[in-house]
Amino acid sequence: VQLVESGGGLVQPGGSQRLSCAASGVTFSNIAMGWYRQAPGKQRELVAGIGSAGSTNYADSVKGRFTISTDNAKNTVYLQMNNLKPEDSAVYYCNTSPFFLPWGQGTQVTVSS
């Protein structure tokens, strides 16, 4: 099983980014997936989750700004992030929700002017 996150980078406050997570060895259509993030000195936290039936849930800090979605044909999960804030800066990871797969390398998101 391998999870590969991509799409991070430097963005200005108020900007948008879309993260992607491609998986091999696991089928998204059968399990709940989530996007997590970890900022320096902080614990990794779940910011968005999507169930196998498509239901979604979000941390209060990102509700209304982030949208999680999946493309089952591509076995890929996305995180659309809008109106980004400096406090969104972190390494972002995908995994099952709750997590039980090996973590990928993550993708760094930096929100700064």
Side-chain angles (χ1 to χ4, degrees):
V1 175
Q2 187 176 21
L3 301 169
V4 180
E5 300 92 348
S6 61
L10 176 64
V11 62
Q12 291 188 342
S16 298
Q17 270 187 340
R18 189 175 84 151
L19 307 182
S20 300
C21 173
S24 59
V26 61
T27 302
F28 285 168
S29 61
N30 298 330
I31 54 177
M33 294 297 298
W35 278 97
Y36 301 76
R37 69 185 181 189
Q38 187 168 22
K42 295 187 176 181
Q43 288 189 333
R44 194 168 301 184
E45 61 173 344
L46 176 69
V47 296
I50 185 166
S52 57
S55 60
T56 58
N57 59 278
Y58 300 92
D60 288 343
S61 58
V62 307
K63 201 170 293 183
R65 300 187 297 119
F66 289 12
T67 303
I68 187 172
S69 62
T70 58
D71 184 333
N72 292 335
K74 296 181 179 180
N75 220 33
T76 300
V77 60
Y78 302 98
L79 186 67
Q80 177 66 44
M81 306 184 295
N82 298 327
N83 190 22
L84 283 161
K85 303 176 180 181
E87 52 263 42
D88 294 319
S89 298
V91 180
Y92 284 72
Y93 305 85
C94 72
N95 209 312
T96 53
S97 178
F99 68 88
F100 62 81
L101 297 176
W103 293 99
Q105 84 287 350
T107 186
Q108 175 73 51
V109 173
T110 302
V111 185
S112 175
S113 55

